[in-house]
Amino acid sequence: MADADDYTIGPVADTDDYTIEQVRIEQIEKGDWIATLKADGSPLIWCVDIKVFEHKKAAGEPPMIGLQARPEPGQSRVATSRAPVGTVVHRVVFKR
């Protein structure tokens, strides 16, 4: 079995407050923070609340991972990300 570090591709940014790592989407867990882009191209950092594995083999789809943030009261949109297993995403690790 692969070590967790085998899935970390490398740091993208490292500051006094946080590190942004490139990891495969399947390594993201509930409670992890990720950085994605909004429709307008601006960055969005959000905490993963739901992680699901989907595989619609009959439809010919590759295995997919879906990530979703917790909906905030009064919020009409919720941050989501859905991508094939192996897709590189950006995990934000805060230094506390």
Side-chain angles (χ1 to χ4, degrees), residues 11-21 92-96:
V12 175
D14 192 18
T15 72
D16 290 339
D17 298 322
Y18 61 86
T19 298
I20 298 178
E21 303 172 327
V92 180
V93 180
F94 292 99
K95 299 174 183 175
R96 298 174 193 213

Side-chain angles (χ1 to χ4, degrees), residues 35-55:
T36 58
L37 296 178
K38 296 180 189 178
D40 67 4
S42 61
L44 177 66
I45 297 174
W46 52 278
C47 185
V48 174
D49 186 54
I50 298 170
K51 177 182 176 180
V52 296
F53 176 79
E54 306 168 2
H55 191 194

Side-chain angles (χ1 to χ4, degrees), residues 1 5 8 13 18 22 26-27 37 45-46 57 71 82 89-90 92 94:
M1 183 160 168
D5 290 337
T8 302
Y18 61 86
Q22 290 182 317
E26 60 270 25
Q27 293 308 115
L37 296 178
I45 297 174
W46 52 278
K57 192 173 184 178
R82 183 175 181 269
V89 297
H90 295 98
V92 180
F94 292 99

